[in-house]
Structure formats: C-alpha cells, structure tokens
Amino acid sequence: MKKTLSLLLVLVMAVSLFAGCAGGDDGKTIIGFTIYKYDDNFMSFVRRAIEKNEDQVDELLMNDSQNDQAKQNEQVDVMIEKGADSLAINLVDPQAASTIIQKAKDAEIPVVFFNKEPSAEDLNSYDQCWYVGTTSSEAGIIQGELIRDAWKAHPEWDTNGDGVLQYVLLKGEPGHPDAEARTKFAISTVVDAGIKVEELELQTAMWDSAKAKDLMDAWLSKHGEGIEFVVANNDGMALGAIASLQGNGYFEGDLFMPVVGVDAIPDALSKIEEGSMVGTVLNDATNQGQATFDLAKNVAEGKDPLEGTSWVLQDKAVRVAYVAVNIDNIEFGKKAYE
Ligand code: BGC
Ligand code: CA
C-alpha cells in the first residue's frame, strides 16, 4: 500500500515537472510567428525554413502582417490570447520593436525578432528578447568587393572611357538596417579600392521586382548607355532591373550591363548562369529561419535560447554570415537554397 502511494507521488511529481518545463501552464508549446509580408521573395524562403519544423511543437501560429504594423500589433495580441509561449517577430517597421516588447513583457513571454533588426536600445530593454539575422554591413562590403573585382577585370565596361564607374542604385526599404548599410558599404568599398564612381540615380524600390523594373525603365530612357553598373540592395530588385534591361535589348548581341544583388535566391542564380547577372551575396534564409525557430522554441519551453543548438549569441543576437556568390561557386549558392 505504502509502495503504491509513494509510486503515485513520484508519478504526480514527474507529470507536474514535465508540464512546468514545457512552457505555459498547459504543457503545450505554442510559438507565434509574424512575417512582415508573405509577398516578399526572400522572406518566403525564410518562412519555408521555419514551417518545416512545424511538427516539433504543438502549435505554430503563422501570420502575414501584409506590410501593416497596426495589423501586426493586433496579430501579436491575438497570439498572446491564444496562449503563445514565445513570439518570433519579423517587424514591419523596425521602429515598432518597443511596442511588441511591451506586449511581450505584459504577457510575461519571450520574444525573438528576426530579419529586421531592432535598435540595441530596444533589444536591451527586455532580458527575454533576442535577434536572429545578419551583420547588415557585411553584405554591402561583399557586394562592393564583387563590383570592384568585376570592374577591374573588365575595362570595357567603362563604356564612355572616362575612368569613372557610372552606377544606378536600387535601394531597399528606407530605414531598414539592411538597406541602409548595404547602400553605404557597397559604394564605400568600391571607393576605398581607388575606383572613381559617379552616382547617376539612387532610389528605393522597396525590395520589390516590379517597382525596380519601373525605375530601371525610367533610368534607361533618361541615361541610356550612360549607365555602366546596376547595384541592387537585393536580388528581387536586381531581377526587376534585368527584366527592364532585357526589354531594352540588353544581353543580346553586344549590349551588356553588369548587375549585382544580394540574397542568392534561385531566380538570381539562374541569371548568373545565363550571364545576365554578375554576382550576388548569399543571405542564408535556411539558417536564419532555422535559428529563429530554434531560439523561439527553446525560450518558449523555458530553456536557454541556445540549448541543443550550435548557434552563437553575441550581445543577444545570432548573426548568420553572408557569402559572395558568382559563377565560380554557383553550386554552393544553389545548395544553400535547396
Ligand atoms: C533581404 C531582402 C528582403 C528584406 C525583408 C533583406 O535581408 O535581403 O530581400 O526583402 O530582408 O526585410
Ligand atoms: Ca565611365
């Protein structure tokens, strides 16, 4: 009798312990995700990397914030009501981190931001808050090195022969840390290599192919062959520029234009293989999605954010490395997006 009683006690203790460490008080692990908009080429790959872990948790709440911060704030409220044990947030507006952090604090749950980096001040305002992304400047530096090396290897690309690289730049969303840093460092890296540059145009196409095509159409009719290089903050916009260039007779016969991007999405890799894109910078969607999921799950279950993983935290951030991709290592790029 005594034996059965103590066995029962041990069982009850074990069960309550298990419930205690599984996050929330229902013993279930629920993680609430938002993507700033599903209709973003690169983010669709990050999303895929997250969703393939679906069976690792009881519930994976996924939300398309449709590029609307007010909508995202509401989605966060709903996920908290549904009992989310942690939040993983791809902000619409990088400035809105403090609003999300306040909601997480009030609900006493952790939050992992990804892809759009909040300010260090916001990150440090809550001990249960982390970031998964990249070092934004790194993509700019690598892109600048691609431009530098390609320009030096092809003196014929200086079509007006003035020794100056005349470029147009397609910028991502203004205020987005990736857009700002890529714009700045791509050009400064070229200039630091002793190459003279002239900026013919710089405008935002909001990471978007169709918008980039429209801008490139306008720039081509304004500058014609005066443009010697197209620098795009991401591949989506590079692809839009290439579509415009193709419509204007480029990449047939002698008419060529060097174009560079960032992300290494499969469509861009095809353009590199076809010879209509010089290079890109791998933005590792697979590993960023996986790291975001791993951290969000661990903290949802009350564990150390890195438990059972090989990610490295530096000041509350996991930063996945960028890698240069051109025709020489195209297979490497393909593997990363498999
Ligand atoms: C990617 C872009 C993407 C943006 C979304 C960037 O890191 O390079 O392609 O549109 O993130 O926030
Ligand atoms: Ca020139």
Side-chain angles (χ1 to χ4, degrees):
M1 184 65 187
K2 247 189 185 167
K3 245 191 191 164
T4 5
L5 244 167
S6 51
L7 205 88
L8 215 95
L9 208 80
V10 167
L11 228 124
V12 166
M13 271 167 66
V15 166
S16 57
L17 239 166
F18 179 77
C21 69
D25 31 31
D26 52 2
K28 279 187 175 175
T29 302
I30 305 174
I31 314 183
F33 276 86
T34 64
I35 302 285
Y36 94 96
K37 61 171 188 174
Y38 278 6
D39 181 23
D40 175 291
N41 221 327
F42 172 75
M43 290 313 298
S44 70
F45 291 98
V46 177
R47 186 178 142 213
R48 240 171 269 177
I50 292 165
E51 283 176 342
K52 74 169 190 256
N53 295 284
E54 199 168 354
D55 56 353
Q56 306 289 311
V57 288
D58 297 293
E59 248 184 282
L60 193 64
L61 307 169
M62 294 298 291
N63 293 274
D64 177 0
S65 301
Q66 294 172 22
N67 211 19
D68 179 344
Q69 189 59 52
K71 176 165 278 162
Q72 181 168 84
N73 295 347
E74 282 169 26
Q75 291 169 336
V76 167
D77 291 337
V78 171
M79 293 192 290
I80 290 172
E81 268 164 41
K82 285 187 177 166
D85 300 300
S86 73
L87 300 171
I89 304 296
N90 175 213
L91 291 163
V92 175
D93 175 2
Q95 308 294 322
S98 55
T99 308
I100 307 288
I101 289 172
Q102 194 54 52
K103 290 180 189 295
K105 270 187 183 169
D106 292 344
E108 294 178 23
I109 55 172
V111 49
V112 180
F113 292 100
F114 61 107
N115 171 258
K116 288 200 198 180
E117 184 168 2
S119 69
E121 194 192 335
D122 284 337
L123 269 185
N124 289 325
S125 70
Y126 185 30
D127 61 342
Q128 292 297 303
C129 171
W130 294 272
Y131 176 65
V132 175
T134 59
T135 303
S136 299
S137 56
E138 195 178 273
I141 294 170
I142 295 173
Q143 192 184 50
E145 291 167 351
L146 280 168
I147 299 169
R148 175 197 67 197
D149 295 346
W151 181 256
K152 286 191 170 164
H154 293 277
E156 75 280 11
W157 289 357
D158 181 14
T159 47
N160 66 356
D162 67 351
V164 180
L165 187 164
Q166 273 83 15
Y167 69 90
V168 296
L169 193 146
L170 290 157
K171 188 175 172 178
E173 179 196 349
H176 189 310
D178 288 347
E180 298 301 337
R182 289 176 194 175
T183 299
K184 180 174 165 211
F185 286 94
I187 302 306
S188 69
T189 302
V190 174
V191 170
D192 288 350
I195 295 169
K196 288 202 190 77
V197 302
E198 184 188 349
E199 180 184 289
L200 297 180
E201 300 285 349
L202 185 157
Q203 276 190 60
T204 179
M206 298 300 283
W207 304 118
D208 184 76
S209 265
K211 288 195 177 78
K213 181 178 179 297
D214 289 348
L215 277 179
M216 195 67 212
D217 282 341
W219 293 345
L220 279 171
S221 55
K222 185 170 163 197
H223 302 282
E225 287 177 44
I227 304 170
E228 295 174 341
F229 224 111
V230 178
V231 183
N233 276 176
N234 78 343
D235 286 346
M237 297 186 292
L239 291 168
I242 290 169
S244 162
L245 288 160
Q246 274 165 340
N248 283 276
Y250 280 79
F251 311 116
E252 280 163 37
D254 284 344
L255 208 48
F256 178 78
M257 178 78 76
V259 179
V260 288
V262 174
D263 284 340
I265 55 173
D267 286 347
L269 298 178
S270 306
K271 294 295 172 198
I272 293 175
E273 282 183 311
E274 286 167 21
S276 49
M277 198 162 154
V278 165
T280 185
V281 184
L282 169 68
N283 190 7
D284 191 333
T286 308
N287 276 314
Q288 288 175 58
Q290 189 61 47
T292 305
F293 178 85
D294 289 345
L295 265 70
K297 177 172 184 285
N298 272 336
V299 296
E301 295 175 346
K303 298 176 185 161
D304 182 273
L306 299 181
E307 192 172 316
T309 76
S310 49
W311 309 117
V312 179
L313 268 180
Q314 282 172 306
D315 292 336
K316 310 187 84 176
V318 170
R319 298 186 191 274
V320 177
Y322 285 109
V323 186
V325 178
N326 61 18
I327 195 70
D328 301 332
N329 65 343
I330 194 95
E331 292 306 322
F332 166 81
K334 284 186 189 167
K335 266 212 189 95
Y337 270 88
E338 244 165 26

